[in-house]
Amino acid sequence: MSVAEERLAAAGIVLGEVPPAVANYVPAKQTGNLVYTSGNDCRVNGVLMYTGKVGAELTIQQGYEAARQVAINLLTVLKAELGDLDRVKQVVKMLAFVNSAPGFVEQPFVINGASDLLVEAFGDAGKHARSALSANELPFNTPVEIELIVEVDRER
């Protein structure tokens, strides 16, 4: 078990299987020493843990929890792509979208759910550049969608 997975297990988090793609794309794509993930949502066992707009149907805390689950799903994708999360040298960039009610402007606090989890898993290597953007709609009415770019160790 990787160090990152041990840290996650200590927090009660076990990574599952990558769900099948719902359209014509792959969950992750590696080029050189970078891995780009496709956007992920907050599904648990194939079902969205929340639906709706943050700032209307959902609170900031529920959005935070959804973003945390998205990060868990992204780590699941990375483990499947890399075989071992210890190959992740650093999380480089996060692009995050929040399904936002009109006038809702606290997207960064929602996306901290994902950012906090990545730091929990990887320590300083989990700290990343980030964009936290508002969206008026997201696929399947998910409250959060996130994609990552990570640098990997090609020697492992």
Side-chain angles (χ1 to χ4, degrees):
M1 183 179 286
S2 72
V3 172
E5 284 184 89
E6 287 173 5
R7 290 175 178 163
L8 293 169
I13 298 167
V14 178
L15 302 179
E17 298 294 319
V18 176
V22 297
N24 189 13
Y25 64 89
V26 294
K29 189 77 166 180
Q30 184 170 351
T31 180
N33 64 339
L34 296 177
V35 175
Y36 294 74
T37 71
S38 293
N40 275 246
D41 59 26
C42 63
R43 291 177 197 269
V44 178
N45 298 320
V47 178
L48 290 171
M49 69 183 297
Y50 295 114
T51 58
K53 295 186 181 300
V54 181
E57 295 91 2
L58 300 173
T59 65
I60 292 172
Q61 181 60 38
Q62 289 170 315
Y64 179 98
E65 293 164 7
R68 184 174 174 86
Q69 181 61 45
V70 176
I72 292 167
N73 295 344
L74 286 162
L75 292 179
T76 299
V77 167
L78 288 171
K79 181 181 178 193
E81 179 72 15
L82 300 171
D84 182 357
L85 287 178
D86 282 349
R87 289 190 56 209
V88 174
K89 288 177 74 173
Q90 66 175 328
V91 180
V92 177
K93 172 74 174 172
M94 175 187 292
L95 178 59
F97 300 92
V98 178
N99 190 355
S100 300
F104 182 76
V105 295
E106 299 187 53
Q107 293 78 12
F109 301 114
V110 171
I111 299 308
N112 279 345
S115 294
D116 291 349
L117 183 82
L118 293 174
V119 172
E120 208 174 313
F122 297 114
D124 283 344
K127 293 179 180 176
H128 50 274
R130 179 179 97 175
S131 297
L133 304 172
S134 173
N136 68 330
E137 301 290 340
L138 286 174
F140 311 107
N141 204 25
T142 186
V144 178
E145 182 172 336
I146 301 172
E147 60 183 58
L148 291 178
I149 302 170
V150 300
E151 180 185 11
V152 297
D153 184 348
R154 292 172 52 164
E155 301 299 315
R156 293 192 100 209

